[in-house]
Tab-separated table of all heavy atoms in Angstrom:
chain	number	residue	atom	x	y	z
C	22	GLN	N	-3.949	-3.719	21.740
C	22	GLN	CA	-4.429	-2.885	20.645
C	22	GLN	C	-3.760	-1.531	20.721
C	22	GLN	O	-3.426	-1.067	21.808
C	22	GLN	CB	-5.944	-2.705	20.718
C	22	GLN	CG	-6.700	-3.977	20.462
C	22	GLN	CD	-8.195	-3.723	20.441
C	22	GLN	OE1	-8.676	-2.689	20.859
C	22	GLN	NE2	-8.930	-4.677	19.943
C	30	THR	N	-1.292	16.415	24.272
C	30	THR	CA	-1.375	16.118	25.697
C	30	THR	C	-0.461	14.971	26.106
C	30	THR	O	-0.520	14.522	27.240
C	30	THR	CB	-2.826	15.760	26.086
C	30	THR	OG1	-3.226	14.595	25.364
C	30	THR	CG2	-3.769	16.906	25.801
C	66	TYR	N	-6.290	3.674	7.176
C	66	TYR	CA	-5.098	4.434	6.807
C	66	TYR	C	-3.869	3.726	7.350
C	66	TYR	O	-3.897	3.189	8.466
C	66	TYR	CB	-5.163	5.851	7.391
C	66	TYR	CG	-6.254	6.685	6.789
C	66	TYR	CD1	-7.504	6.761	7.372
C	66	TYR	CD2	-6.029	7.403	5.616
C	66	TYR	CE1	-8.512	7.528	6.820
C	66	TYR	CE2	-7.040	8.176	5.057
C	66	TYR	CZ	-8.272	8.232	5.662
C	66	TYR	OH	-9.279	8.991	5.105
C	67	GLN	N	-2.799	3.763	6.553
C	67	GLN	CA	-1.537	3.206	7.023
C	67	GLN	C	-0.817	4.283	7.829
C	67	GLN	O	-0.530	5.363	7.323
C	67	GLN	CB	-0.670	2.727	5.870
C	67	GLN	CG	0.509	1.910	6.345
C	67	GLN	CD	1.274	1.285	5.204
C	67	GLN	OE1	1.276	1.768	4.089
C	67	GLN	NE2	1.953	0.196	5.510
C	69	VAL	N	2.241	5.740	10.349
C	69	VAL	CA	3.598	5.708	10.872
C	69	VAL	C	3.501	6.270	12.289
C	69	VAL	O	2.973	7.370	12.492
C	69	VAL	CB	4.560	6.582	10.030
C	69	VAL	CG1	5.954	6.579	10.637
C	69	VAL	CG2	4.597	6.102	8.583
C	70	TRP	N	3.988	5.507	13.267
C	70	TRP	CA	3.887	5.906	14.666
C	70	TRP	C	5.143	6.642	15.105
C	70	TRP	O	6.262	6.254	14.765
C	70	TRP	CB	3.660	4.674	15.542
C	70	TRP	CG	2.388	3.982	15.196
C	70	TRP	CD1	2.244	2.881	14.403
C	70	TRP	CD2	1.074	4.368	15.569
C	70	TRP	NE1	0.918	2.553	14.280
C	70	TRP	CE2	0.171	3.453	14.993
C	70	TRP	CE3	0.558	5.391	16.352
C	70	TRP	CZ2	-1.199	3.539	15.167
C	70	TRP	CZ3	-0.815	5.477	16.527
C	70	TRP	CH2	-1.680	4.560	15.942
C	72	GLY	N	8.258	7.581	16.918
C	72	GLY	CA	9.203	6.741	17.642
C	72	GLY	C	9.354	5.344	17.064
C	72	GLY	O	10.149	4.552	17.552
Side-chain angles (χ1 to χ4, degrees):
Q22 293 184 346
T30 61
Y66 293 93
Q67 191 173 26
V69 177
W70 298 99

